[in-house]
């Protein structure tokens, strides 16, 4: 594409601008590669991406092309958590995809290396890459090391849980302060199988990143070497004209969903895989997710469900070892193509599990079914999702009385004030893609339940979504959402809600006539939003289809 910009006599003005950048004639004559980096000084996962970007540049130069760095935005979900800023997190995925499209096409790049790390940035860049469809490859910034506190591994979510412990009286303020100073020791994406690390692992199964992209630590030299190899890889992809949509086929998404289930990854991956697939015109739905979950064993149990973290997963063999185990039962399509310009099977055929306490053998899995479950019923006619691997066995089947809240903050206040009791089902509504708007991520209420010692006695249901750091019976993505007239809007305090995760059922035990009467009295819920969020609210679709924006309006 770059030759269209600068190869003829008529393009002398464009060449003049490129020379203003300091590029030589030789550099302009080579393929020009965009390095799309989310580097910033506000996101811990992104603070070091200049080092990764420099390594990619070295690889691009070594491969015979010319690298040019361009920026992408990135919101830290942790910093946005628990206030109005979280409304911008999921919508930022669309802005990132749009900006990728604008920058890559506007400047006629020949290929692109994407350097993301955190939650919405990875899928936003994948959506943009698929949309533009020029040769592309991903290398993330890598996971953070775990913190250490009182001889145990801790992380960002531990601090949230500590707040609940202080409220309950089982932790002092000075202990919380010490935990706060220990939990996040440096750069990288938060150290558990949270959304960012989930997606960075899935890029390997999608074929869009080289092996170990998901687990090589942010502070490691392995990450720098990986970035250099990625820079070399994009040059081969450009030479061979291999584009994202040639890689992101239905089998690639099926492989990613299978890995997702085996890892016990974040429920947010469902939203994002659906959105990326939509850019590739690949159809995914919740029925397929449930089918894959029913046939894929859970092989890993990772933080926040336990102390085992991303470093441990890497030392145990990483994603290639997990794929190798899954392939033993023909659960992975090894013929899928990758950015390494070979079949996926070549990435894992020589990989082996090095610690079967971290990556369980396929013959002796942690569970015969996958880490994410889809629930349907009259309370979620289009579906809801739960991170089954993070739910205590005692909560897999649960029935309780509803306590309803129309925003996250009210639910958190109720938990901390002692108004939530054992046996309750917390319902948080009007937090969906349109109702929020922005489908806020709710680590605050789930961590409050853990800190207050209620995570094995109280369920939480929402049309919003949950952080990958969440544990407990936290059911999100309830669709249709309240703002669309879903039955979650009709739930009243004291209603009985029945949850059967094993059977995939979510039921509101209220007669249909009663619900009809409530619907007649239902009034539209006010949401005072403006700017970009108002546009988003009017364009966003259901969580059941990935909360993508309408193509026509």
């Amino acid at each position: 594409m770059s030759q269209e910009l600068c190869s003829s006599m008529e393009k002398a003005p464009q060449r003049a601008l490129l020379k203003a950048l300091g590029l030589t004639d030789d550099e302009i004559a080579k393929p020009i590669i965009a390095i799309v980096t989310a580097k910033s000084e506000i996101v811990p996962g992104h603070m070091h991406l200049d080092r990764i970007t420099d390594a990619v540049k070295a690889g691009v130069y070594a491969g015979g092309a010319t690298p040019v760095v361009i920026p992408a935005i990135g919101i830290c979900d942790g910093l946005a958590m628990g206030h109005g800023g979280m409304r911008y997190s999921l919508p930022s995925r669309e802005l990132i995809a749009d900006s990728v499209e604008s920058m890559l096409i506007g400047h006629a790049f020949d290929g692109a290396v994407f350097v993301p790390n955190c939650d919405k940035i990875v899928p936003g860049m994948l959506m943009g890459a698929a949309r533009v469809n020029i040769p592309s490859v991903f290398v993330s910034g890598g996971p953070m090391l775990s913190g250490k506190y009182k001889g145990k591994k801790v992380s960002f979510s531990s601090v949230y849980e500590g707040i609940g412990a202080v409220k309950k009286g089982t932790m002092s303020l000075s202990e919380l302060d010490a935990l706060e100073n220990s939990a996040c020791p440096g750069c990288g994406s938060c150290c558990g199988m949270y959304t960012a690390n989930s997606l960075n692992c899935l890029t390997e199964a999608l074929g869009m990143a080289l092996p170990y992209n998901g687990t090589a630590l942010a502070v490691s030299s392995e990450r720098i070497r990986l970035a250099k190899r990625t820079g070399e890889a994009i040059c081969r992809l450009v030479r061979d004209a291999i584009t994202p949509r040639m890689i992101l086929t239905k089998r690639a998404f099926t492989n990613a969903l299978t890995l997702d289930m085996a890892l016990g990854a974040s429920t947010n991956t469902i939203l994002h895989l659906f959105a990326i697939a939509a850019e590739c015109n690949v159809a995914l739905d919740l029925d397929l997710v449930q089918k894959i979950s029913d046939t894929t064993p859970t092989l890993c149990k990772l933080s926040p469900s336990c102390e085992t973290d991303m470093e441990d997963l890497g030392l145990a063999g990483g994603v290639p070892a997990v794929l190798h185990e899954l392939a033993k039962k023909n659960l992975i399509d090894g013929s899928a193509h990758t950015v390494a310009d070979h079949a996926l099977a070549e990435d894992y055929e020589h990989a082996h599990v090095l610690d079967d306490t971290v990556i369980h053998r396929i013959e002796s899995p942690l569970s015969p079914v996958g880490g994410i479950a889809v629930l349907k019923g009259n309370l979620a006619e289009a579906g809801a999702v739960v991170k089954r691997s993070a739910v205590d066995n005692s909560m897999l089947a649960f029935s309780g009385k509803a306590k309803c809240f129309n925003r996250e903050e009210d639910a958190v206040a109720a938990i901390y004030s002692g108004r939530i009791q054992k046996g309750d089902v917390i319902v948080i509504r009007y937090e969906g893609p349109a109702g929020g708007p922005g489908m806020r991520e709710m680590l605050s209420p789930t961590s409050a339940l853990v800190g207050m010692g209620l995570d094995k006695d109280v369920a939480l249901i929402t049309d919003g979504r949950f952080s990958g750091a969440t544990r407990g019976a936290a059911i999100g993505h309830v669709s249709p959402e309240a703002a669309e007239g879903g039955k979650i809007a009709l739930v009243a305090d004291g209603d009985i809600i029945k949850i059967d995760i094993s059977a995939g059922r979510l039921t509101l035990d209220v007669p249909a006539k009663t619900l009809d009467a409530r619907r007649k009295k239902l009034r539209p819920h006010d949401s005072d939003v403006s700017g970009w969020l108002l546009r988003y609210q009017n364009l966003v679709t259901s969580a059941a289809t990935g909360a993508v924006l309408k193509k026509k309006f």
Side-chain angles (χ1 to χ4, degrees):
M1 289 176 65
S2 67
Q3 294 311 299
E4 297 177 11
L5 186 68
C6 53
S7 62
S8 66
M9 179 270 292
E10 289 80 7
K11 294 299 192 293
Q14 285 85 349
R15 288 195 297 275
L17 291 172
L18 292 175
K19 288 179 179 180
L21 298 173
L23 296 181
T24 65
D25 285 322
D26 285 345
E27 288 175 310
I28 293 170
K30 294 174 182 177
I32 299 179
I33 307 300
I35 304 177
V36 188
T37 175
K39 157 72 178 178
S40 76
E41 294 184 352
I42 190 60
V43 184
H46 296 170
M47 62 189 283
H48 65 304
L49 293 188
D50 50 352
R51 293 177 58 242
I52 310 301
T53 299
D54 285 345
V56 173
K57 288 174 69 175
V60 171
Y61 276 126
T66 301
V68 176
V69 177
I70 61 174
I73 65 168
I75 292 176
C76 176
D77 278 22
L79 290 173
M81 198 82 66
H83 63 90
M86 180 50 78
R87 289 193 173 92
Y88 286 87
S89 177
L90 183 60
S92 73
R93 184 186 71 180
E94 312 306 316
L95 295 179
I96 292 165
D98 289 349
S99 64
V100 164
E101 175 186 357
S102 301
M103 292 294 283
L104 294 187
I105 295 179
H107 299 105
F109 284 106
D110 296 294
V113 176
F114 292 88
V115 188
N117 213 26
C118 296
D119 295 20
K120 309 309 159 302
I121 297 87
V122 181
M125 287 184 177
L126 279 164
M127 291 165 67
R131 193 183 298 173
V132 177
N133 203 36
I134 63 172
S136 301
V137 60
F138 280 66
V139 58
S140 75
M144 184 186 293
L145 288 165
S146 286
K148 300 291 190 298
Y149 177 69
K150 292 188 174 181
K152 292 184 177 181
K153 289 183 178 180
V154 292
S155 65
F156 169 73
S157 62
S158 306
V159 187
Y160 263 101
E161 294 170 8
I163 297 170
V166 171
K167 297 277 188 180
K168 190 181 179 184
T170 57
M171 177 181 279
S172 69
L173 282 172
S174 62
E175 288 175 315
L176 179 62
D177 183 63
L179 175 59
E180 172 188 329
N181 288 323
S182 304
C184 301
C187 65
S189 49
C190 296
C191 62
M193 187 52 72
Y194 308 154
T195 306
N197 289 326
S198 296
L199 285 162
N200 286 325
C201 287
L202 296 192
T203 56
E204 295 186 44
L206 285 171
M208 290 299 295
L210 299 180
Y212 307 103
N213 178 62
T215 55
L217 292 172
V219 296
S220 68
S221 295
E222 179 187 5
R223 176 63 56 181
I224 300 300
R225 295 193 298 272
L226 176 64
K228 289 178 180 178
R229 292 197 299 272
T230 300
E232 294 172 344
I234 189 60
C235 299
R236 294 192 296 271
L237 293 174
V238 170
R239 181 194 65 213
D240 297 338
I242 296 172
T243 61
R245 278 184 244 160
M246 296 167 67
I247 294 171
L248 293 171
T249 62
K250 184 67 171 280
R251 59 185 175 178
F253 287 102
T254 301
N255 284 340
L257 284 168
T258 302
L259 176 66
D260 198 337
M261 299 305 164
L263 290 174
S266 166
T267 52
N268 285 319
T269 56
I270 304 303
L271 278 177
H272 300 318
L273 286 173
F274 280 25
I276 299 159
E279 297 290 350
C280 303
N281 297 315
V282 172
L284 300 179
D285 57 39
L286 289 175
D287 290 337
L288 174 64
V289 173
Q290 189 60 56
K291 179 181 178 182
I292 293 173
S293 181
D294 287 343
T295 56
T296 304
T298 301
L299 300 182
C300 301
K301 188 179 184 68
L302 298 161
S303 172
S305 301
C306 62
E307 285 190 51
T308 306
D309 61 12
M310 295 304 296
E311 180 180 13
D312 296 320
L313 178 61
L315 291 172
V319 168
V322 179
L323 294 175
H324 182 88
E325 288 300 306
L326 294 169
K328 290 180 180 178
K329 297 288 187 181
N330 297 316
L331 297 173
I332 292 294
D333 186 340
S335 67
H337 205 68
T338 78
V339 291
D341 207 0
H342 58 224
L344 180 64
E346 292 188 39
D347 285 347
Y348 63 74
E349 63 183 349
H350 299 298
H352 298 284
V353 174
L354 304 177
D355 184 346
D356 59 13
T357 66
V358 176
I359 302 172
H360 288 245
R361 308 286 180 177
I362 195 79
E363 298 83 7
S364 54
L366 285 162
S367 168
V369 293
I372 294 176
V374 175
L375 309 183
K376 289 188 176 182
N378 69 337
L379 191 51
E381 292 166 326
V385 296
V386 61
K387 189 171 181 177
R388 175 165 46 190
S389 59
V391 180
D392 189 81
N393 288 336
S394 65
M395 294 291 288
L396 292 175
F398 184 79
S399 179
K401 292 182 178 180
K403 286 192 176 174
C404 302
F405 305 91
N406 289 345
R407 61 181 197 139
E408 175 191 2
E409 290 87 347
D410 295 338
V412 174
I415 295 168
Y416 284 146
S417 65
R419 286 181 282 150
I420 303 300
Q421 306 296 321
K422 292 182 179 182
D424 286 341
V425 178
I426 299 171
V427 177
I428 306 177
R429 56 199 174 193
Y430 296 104
E431 291 283 10
M439 204 179 185
R440 287 195 290 175
E441 197 170 78
M442 299 184 196
L443 182 57
S444 296
T446 55
S447 296
L449 289 173
V450 173
M452 297 288 281
L454 293 171
D455 56 305
K456 296 180 181 178
D457 301 289
V458 172
L460 198 161
I461 295 172
T462 181
D463 52 8
R465 61 194 178 91
F466 293 109
S467 164
T470 293
R471 55 191 171 113
I475 298 166
H477 306 197
V478 170
S479 301
E481 62 174 294
E484 292 182 327
K487 285 191 174 67
I488 190 172
L490 306 178
V491 183
D493 287 348
D495 286 350
I496 300 299
I497 294 176
K498 296 179 179 178
I499 302 165
D500 191 335
I501 293 174
S502 298
R505 302 297 298 169
L506 181 61
T507 307
L508 176 61
D509 193 12
V510 174
K513 287 184 178 180
T514 302
L515 294 177
D516 289 341
R518 291 179 186 176
R519 187 175 295 282
K520 291 175 182 177
K521 297 178 181 179
L522 190 66
R523 296 292 177 266
H525 182 74
D526 293 330
S527 62
D528 184 19
V529 294
S530 59
W532 154 235
L533 284 184
L534 181 60
R535 280 182 282 142
Y536 181 84
Q537 186 176 56
N538 285 283
L539 294 176
V540 71
T541 62
S542 168
T545 56
V548 296
L549 300 186
K550 297 173 184 175
K551 299 295 184 186
K552 296 181 180 181
F553 43 88

